[in-house]
Amino acid sequence: MEDITRVHKLLRPDEMCIFAAQAKEVKLGNKRINVLVALISNCSKTREEIAVFIVGNRFDSQYIRDIIPVYADLTCKVVSENPAVVDLSVADGFEAHSLEFLAANPLKMFVQNVVKAQNTAKENNLISSSGLSHQWVKNYRALSEEVGIRPEEQESASSGTNSGAPASSSTKPADSSNLEWISKMLKTREPEFTTHQNINIFFGTWNVNDQKPVEPLDKWLLPTDPKVIPDIYCIGFQELDLTAEALLLGDTSRAAPWDMHIQSTLVRVGSYVLLMMKQLVGILLLVYVKSDLLPKITDVQSGFAAVGIMGMMGNKGGVSVRFNICDSTFCVVNSHLNAHNENIARRNQDYHDISRHILFANEDEAQTHTIFDHDFLFWIGDLNYRIDLPDNDIRQRILASDFGPLLEADQLLDQRKQNKAFDVFTEEPIRFAPTYKYDKNSTSYDSGEARRSPAWCDRVLWRAANPPSVTPVSYSRHELLSSDHRPVSAIFTIQVQVIIVEARQKVYQELLKQLDIMENECMPDVTIGTNNISFDNVYFLAPVVRTITIENTGQVLARWRFIPKLDEHRISKPWMVISPTSGIMLPGEQTTICVTMHVDNSTAPALNLGQERLEDILILHLEHGKDYFVTVSGNFMPSCFGSTLEHLVLFPNPVRASQPLPGTAPFPPLTNSSVSAQEHKLHIPKELWRVVDVLFRKSMDQKGIFTQSGTPDDLDRLRECLDTGAGFDDFSPHTMAEALLLFLESLRDPVVPFEFYSQCLDVCESYPSCKQIVSHFPVVHYNVFYYLMSFLRELLNYSEQNNLQPTQLAALFGRVLLRRATGKKLPDQVQDLEVKRKTMFVQQFLEVNEHPPAAPPSNTTTTSTSSSSSATPTTSLSSGTTTTQSNTTASSSSASASSTTVTPQQPPHTSSPPPTSSSAANKL
């Protein structure tokens, strides 16, 4: 019955839904899209006419994907009953459909109704070629073409992002601007067709510090007010599992015991069912719903974003669940942000990264939505913001229950005031003591050696499209003692929207008529603010935004969209993002368009290698009007990030301040010189040498190295230092470590070349086989690989101080050294298996201490090398040795008078400047 109600929202008063069932539409490539299959009856004439409506779901509302009139010559063929599949086709050019119902019973009911409708069609001689019936269907077809486009067609049309494909010469792509305008107008008239229903939602967060569920949860989960019984429980945990298996291999076995423990508590409140569970290492979100509310909940999805070091380890990040209640959309985020008092900027960045990276797709994956694209958004978790006051002062004020000065020094409240993080959220007043950090199983704040200062780390924040619809009931902490945090809860009464279908349909029809009136044959006209956008200097991973304004200066409705240039498939170059890409404006209305230039790992190589320039022309097309051309230009500042190893070894000096060696393709040959440029190539990029050198000299015993993140601002500054040659000894070890991983990840061609990827995974359990494959790497890749392995082995010699384990390093570096050539998404099980194999491959080289395999004679020569006169005595990375493949035998002309001979099997680090020629670089 509910399915029929959902379909009725789409119908005019003259039509009625007589059957509806959930199914999957089977597309090419065996792709299945969730749909509703409905039979719609029209009795406006003396006879009844039936049509099959294929109804899709676009995030929070239904839309008509296609319509199949039931003619006498309709073919309805049951392909199988398990699975329950039926094929529908009409002779007269209608698209054929293959539908898989969820069970055999709805399939039988559907077929029976179709056969009955066919008999009626036969009695009235209604066939597809006659054109004498089903005229009412054209209303929906026209509406479908005008108001929106089918999701799979969005892949080839300009649809709100800059990935649009061109229209073919014979078929103009449908425009979504009508749908956007109607949706906007419907929003303004919602009070005319909506009512509301109150529901109570409980939000809870607890950092359990790796503890198992042994303590009763009554104090936390059981309601204290019998008048406010939660309809939904949203419960978030952090540090649920701190084991290496969870961190590196995605083990989620710790979630089940907590689920059982929660359900055994909630059963004393009422009948609840688990709606969704989502886990990222130690971050777990569980959503429970009252059984009688479950039929009103639809479109349940989950997402996650890891923001540990490079987003790899998953030790910090967020998980999210979204769902609809009646006609309101909800999203809940549970997060664990960066720790330590001084890491405010890192926590702010974690917030922005989680907000940006958690995306939800329609069932057909045609469009994605962020966490902010919901009527209600709640953010819970261990946000880790601290109190900027001395420890003794904090503790004394807590004893006196004098929270005011503490809240004035609360980092989260301060960052919200400065609009740096969580500024769009609301938090209820805090009237309880800080929830962190306690001695376990004690009521005393931390008395250990570290003596962490108390703080309100655990928070609940909310955001609503209509804030008055949210009524806070409580915001409290609870005295559970097994962890070093106290759990927190917040309860809200929320007005959810319930749409009155008939009233909404009436408004919808009025808007369609208004749209028809505004559209006439007059020529539209717009004024564009500028036809030339200049971005000046653009840096790697530093997005720059410019805006242009267009105004409807005509007398009629103006539809506009960006279109691709002739023979191109995108509306812009891949380093540019345009938002919005289409729209509709009333006379006198203005629209601001944001144009963002963002050079990332995928687009930087072509710019760094001189194959591409930051220049493009945008075409803004006005429907039934003219085209406007906008020139876009920028000056890309070369970077060592987003390049290739082969390219970087051609630069003896910083890439920003020099040209590559002459005589190296694709650069002009040397003139008046007998010295081959090949002799001057570096053996490894100097930027790699500089970062590893600092880490080797200063950070080998640093606790948390390669497990804690650097700050975004420091990473930007360090990248600039590498590109310009400036010194960077003031950067934190964590920034240096993350920069090394980011550099390796940004390489167009990974250290392990793409062509060796599968072979490396296949032999990951055999060190001799792994070593044999590496011996076939190209020269620079071979050198870099063994250089890094030597460094990592030395790093593990300090494991007692830095707490690193071989598996941790192997997992981190495996993901950046070995990458697939294709970006095709793989099943989760395949991805997990590949992660394990990449880890095993790298680990083979971390747990041995021997010479690497000799390079093939044709590729290498073994030489002694000379350092410059300023070189200091070299230091070996480890007692292990590493061979590098030489590009050429050292030239005697490059040796200095006070040269120091270095054994090429030892990869040393010196405090002198990096080598500037292949003869000097042999020591690397």
Side-chain angles (χ1 to χ4, degrees):
M1 188 67 187
E2 184 178 346
D3 291 335
I4 292 179
T5 302
R6 291 167 65 188
V7 175
H8 265 299
K9 296 178 183 180
L10 305 173
L11 302 182
R12 303 184 311 163
D14 291 340
E15 281 78 55
M16 180 177 65
C17 180
I18 59 175
F19 168 88
Q22 297 185 40
K24 294 181 183 293
E25 186 175 11
V26 184
K27 308 296 290 183
L28 291 175
N30 209 31
K31 179 180 178 181
R32 284 166 165 75
I33 298 172
N34 293 328
V35 295
L36 279 176
V37 178
L39 289 172
I40 308 301
S41 169
N42 175 283
C43 297
S44 59
K45 296 184 178 182
T46 55
R47 61 175 181 264
E48 181 184 34
E49 296 178 354
I50 306 291
V52 180
F53 278 40
I54 309 296
V55 179
N57 187 67
R58 184 170 287 144
F59 196 64
D60 57 356
S61 61
Q62 283 68 49
Y63 68 99
I64 300 170
R65 290 176 58 86
D66 213 339
I67 303 171
I68 310 169
V70 179
Y71 294 117
D73 53 346
L74 172 72
T75 301
C76 179
K77 178 182 178 182
V78 176
V79 179
S80 67
E81 293 190 3
N82 188 19
V85 179
V86 62
D87 285 349
L88 297 176
S89 61
V90 180
D92 191 21
F94 290 88
E95 181 181 350
H97 290 269
S98 182
L99 304 170
E100 179 181 322
F101 288 85
L102 303 187
N105 190 49
L107 169 65
K108 293 178 181 178
M109 293 176 62
F110 173 76
V111 173
Q112 288 173 0
N113 279 281
V114 170
V115 170
K116 181 180 178 181
Q118 277 186 295
N119 291 334
T120 302
K122 290 177 181 177
E123 292 173 3
N124 292 281
N125 195 30
L126 304 180
I127 58 175
S128 57
S129 59
S130 68
L132 300 178
S133 67
H134 292 85
Q135 297 300 311
W136 56 276
V137 168
K138 294 181 179 179
N139 295 319
Y140 294 99
R141 287 195 178 279
L143 182 60
S144 176
E145 292 169 0
E146 281 291 307
V147 173
I149 56 177
R150 294 179 55 178
E152 58 268 28
E153 293 169 349
Q154 287 186 336
E155 297 173 3
S156 61
S158 179
S159 59
T161 67
N162 66 332
S163 59
S168 67
S169 59
S170 60
T171 305
K172 182 182 73 174
D175 196 332
S176 62
S177 56
N178 280 359
L179 177 61
E180 294 170 5
W181 183 82
I182 291 176
S183 297
K184 182 170 66 175
M185 298 305 295
L186 281 172
K187 197 73 177 175
T188 63
R189 297 181 62 176
E190 274 183 356
E192 299 179 38
F193 55 82
T194 59
T195 60
H196 296 90
Q197 174 185 339
N198 286 344
I199 63 167
N200 300 317
I201 305 184
F202 173 103
F203 297 92
T205 176
W206 190 16
N207 183 320
V208 296
N209 194 230
D210 206 27
Q211 302 300 304
K212 295 182 179 178
V214 293
E215 192 174 9
L217 303 179
D218 303 27
K219 294 179 181 178
W220 183 29
L221 300 183
L222 297 187
T224 57
D225 184 352
K227 297 180 181 179
V228 185
I229 304 299
D231 298 290
I232 298 176
Y233 278 87
C234 301
I235 302 173
F237 293 100
Q238 306 84 40
E239 294 191 6
L240 187 81
D241 192 344
L242 300 180
T243 62
E245 290 77 10
L247 191 64
L248 301 171
L249 305 177
D251 180 22
T252 59
S253 58
R254 291 277 188 95
W258 280 101
D259 173 36
M260 295 174 60
H261 198 43
I262 292 169
Q263 296 217 41
S264 66
T265 304
L266 296 186
V267 72
R268 296 175 8 225
V269 182
S271 175
Y272 293 87
V273 295
L274 177 64
L275 180 70
M276 175 65 77
M277 174 193 300
K278 187 64 178 178
Q279 183 175 3
L280 173 66
V281 190
I283 307 168
L284 174 67
L285 177 60
L286 306 108
V287 179
Y288 300 89
V289 179
K290 268 189 173 181
S291 300
D292 57 1
L293 184 62
L294 190 61
K296 298 181 180 180
I297 294 182
T298 57
D299 199 11
V300 182
Q301 299 181 50
S302 65
F304 73 93
V307 295
I309 183 164
M310 283 189 62
M312 289 184 184
M313 301 294 282
N315 51 325
K316 296 293 187 291
V319 296
S320 182
V321 172
R322 64 91 49 217
F323 50 88
N324 298 350
I325 304 177
C326 298
D327 297 295
S328 293
T329 58
F330 286 76
C331 182
V332 185
V333 178
N334 173 32
S335 71
H336 190 190
L337 308 186
N338 244 267
H340 305 301
N341 192 81
E342 66 277 8
N343 287 340
I344 301 174
R346 182 67 256 185
R347 285 188 280 278
N348 293 347
Q349 188 63 39
D350 288 348
Y351 158 73
H352 291 292
D353 288 345
I354 292 169
S355 301
R356 185 171 66 253
H357 291 145
I358 293 182
L359 298 173
F360 303 100
N362 292 344
E363 292 179 341
D364 43 38
E365 300 183 356
Q367 188 177 358
T368 57
H369 298 261
T370 73
I371 61 173
F372 296 105
D373 295 327
H374 294 82
D375 298 321
F376 302 95
L377 169 60
F378 294 86
W379 194 306
I380 65 177
D382 179 0
L383 307 187
N384 252 324
Y385 287 93
R386 308 304 171 92
I387 300 172
D388 281 332
L389 287 175
D391 178 68
N392 287 336
D393 191 7
I394 295 174
R395 293 174 187 254
Q396 289 173 8
R397 291 188 181 277
I398 292 173
L399 288 174
S401 296
D402 183 14
F403 299 148
L406 302 184
L407 289 168
E408 290 178 4
D410 179 75
Q411 291 177 348
L412 177 56
L413 294 178
D414 178 63
Q415 296 304 296
R416 288 178 56 211
K417 288 177 184 176
Q418 296 186 51
N419 296 326
K420 291 184 177 180
F422 294 99
D423 49 296
V424 297
F425 284 85
T426 299
E427 183 181 22
E428 298 313 306
I430 295 177
R431 299 187 175 91
F432 49 84
T435 56
Y436 169 88
K437 178 184 184 185
Y438 283 88
D439 293 333
K440 292 180 183 178
N441 299 306
S442 166
T443 57
S444 301
Y445 285 106
D446 186 18
S447 61
E449 183 179 348
R451 194 175 168 83
R452 303 288 187 193
S453 296
W456 285 287
C457 291
D458 312 285
R459 314 288 274 260
V460 177
L461 300 98
W462 61 275
R463 179 179 187 268
N466 181 29
S469 61
V470 178
T471 302
V473 177
S474 64
Y475 191 24
S476 313
R477 57 171 266 170
H478 305 272
E479 302 312 307
L480 302 185
L481 309 183
S482 57
S483 172
D484 58 355
H485 289 248
R486 294 291 185 264
V488 168
S489 73
I491 299 177
F492 299 90
T493 297
I494 299 171
Q495 287 186 340
V496 298
Q497 188 181 75
V498 181
I499 291 177
I500 304 170
V501 177
E502 295 79 7
R504 183 182 186 276
Q505 186 64 28
K506 179 181 177 182
V507 173
Y508 193 84
Q509 293 296 328
E510 291 174 1
L511 291 174
L512 285 178
K513 291 178 182 178
Q514 182 181 347
L515 193 62
D516 287 339
I517 293 171
M518 290 187 295
E519 291 179 320
N520 54 53
E521 296 180 356
C522 295
M523 181 78 85
D525 190 22
V526 302
T527 299
I528 187 166
T530 180
N531 58 4
N532 186 11
I533 305 175
S534 175
F535 282 83
D536 301 321
N537 292 340
V538 177
Y539 297 83
F540 178 76
L541 285 187
V544 183
V545 181
R546 298 285 187 269
T547 60
I548 56 175
T549 301
I550 56 175
E551 180 180 0
N552 184 354
T553 53
Q555 303 300 312
V556 297
L557 206 65
R559 283 193 185 85
W560 60 270
R561 59 188 171 94
F562 286 97
I563 61 174
K565 293 180 285 295
L566 187 65
D567 298 328
E568 293 190 7
H569 298 281
R570 301 177 60 97
I571 61 176
S572 70
K573 294 290 181 65
W575 34 259
M576 185 159 42
V577 178
I578 304 168
S579 179
T581 58
S582 63
I584 185 170
M585 296 186 297
L586 296 172
E589 189 175 2
Q590 290 185 343
T591 297
T592 299
I593 302 169
C594 291
V595 181
T596 303
M597 197 172 281
H598 185 207
V599 179
D600 57 15
N601 290 349
S602 64
T603 55
L607 295 164
N608 277 319
L609 300 178
Q611 301 166 350
E612 177 73 73
R613 296 171 63 88
L614 292 181
E615 295 176 353
D616 198 8
I617 296 176
L618 303 177
I619 304 176
L620 189 148
H621 173 71
L622 189 62
E623 187 171 320
H624 304 304
K626 61 181 181 179
D627 291 342
Y628 299 80
F629 297 88
V630 180
T631 301
V632 180
S633 62
N635 178 38
F636 178 66
M637 305 302 286
S639 176
C640 60
F641 285 74
S643 188
T644 67
L645 294 174
E646 288 80 0
H647 184 68
L648 291 175
V649 296
L650 301 180
F651 285 82
N653 297 306
V655 294
R656 187 77 56 75
S658 65
Q659 294 294 319
L661 291 168
T664 53
F667 305 101
L670 287 166
T671 58
N672 301 323
S673 175
S674 59
V675 181
S676 169
Q678 297 297 325
E679 295 178 342
H680 293 267
K681 281 187 180 181
L682 303 180
H683 275 206
I684 65 171
K686 62 193 171 303
E687 295 84 4
L688 173 63
W689 181 88
R690 290 187 66 193
V691 173
V692 173
D693 178 58
V694 172
L695 288 170
F696 177 76
R697 289 188 286 110
K698 297 187 174 185
S699 308
M700 303 298 278
D701 59 353
Q702 175 69 48
K703 186 176 180 180
I705 192 74
F706 285 109
T707 60
Q708 294 183 22
S709 301
T711 63
D713 290 344
D714 281 351
L715 286 168
D716 290 341
R717 288 196 302 115
L718 189 147
R719 186 164 49 240
E720 188 68 6
C721 290
L722 288 171
D723 291 339
T724 60
F728 48 53
D729 283 355
D730 61 326
F731 290 104
S732 74
H734 305 302
T735 298
M736 299 296 296
E738 186 166 9
L740 174 59
L741 290 166
L742 287 169
F743 169 79
L744 296 171
E745 184 191 44
S746 74
L747 293 171
R748 186 192 68 182
D749 307 316
V751 175
V752 175
F754 290 127
E755 59 266 30
F756 293 97
Y757 178 83
S758 296
Q759 299 176 52
C760 291
L761 297 193
D762 291 342
V763 301
C764 64
E765 298 181 19
S766 167
Y767 174 64
S769 299
C770 293
K771 186 168 58 173
Q772 179 63 28
I773 290 177
V774 174
S775 70
H776 294 287
F777 285 5
V779 174
V780 179
H781 292 256
Y782 178 96
N783 292 343
V784 169
F785 181 83
Y786 273 113
Y787 180 74
L788 290 169
M789 294 303 105
S790 181
F791 166 66
L792 297 182
R793 284 198 299 270
E794 183 67 16
L795 194 61
L796 290 171
N797 287 339
Y798 293 81
S799 59
E800 290 187 5
Q801 293 90 348
N802 58 35
N803 294 336
L804 283 175
Q805 299 299 320
T807 306
Q808 285 179 292
L809 282 180
L812 270 175
F813 279 83
R815 296 191 190 192
V816 295
L817 298 180
L818 295 96
R819 304 199 307 265
R820 275 188 167 273
T822 174
K824 181 181 179 181
K825 183 175 175 58
L826 300 171
D828 291 343
Q829 290 182 336
V830 177
Q831 290 187 60
D832 292 343
L833 179 60
E834 289 199 352
V835 168
K836 293 177 182 179
R837 288 183 172 178
K838 287 190 280 191
T839 301
M840 292 172 65
F841 177 83
V842 174
Q843 195 165 349
Q844 295 288 355
F845 295 89
L846 302 185
E847 297 181 342
V848 297
N849 196 10
E850 65 178 30
H851 290 278
S858 60
N859 286 342
T860 65
T861 59
T862 304
T863 67
S864 294
T865 61
S866 303
S867 67
S868 67
S869 59
S870 63
T872 60
T874 60
T875 304
S876 173
L877 270 175
S878 69
S879 56
T881 58
T882 298
T883 300
T884 59
Q885 296 183 18
S886 296
N887 290 299
T888 180
T889 303
S891 169
S892 60
S893 63
S894 64
S896 66
S898 58
S899 63
T900 302
T901 301
V902 181
T903 306
Q905 280 77 21
Q906 293 178 331
H909 289 261
T910 75
S911 58
S912 60
T916 59
S917 72
S918 111
S919 56
N922 277 319
K923 63 185 178 184
L924 293 175

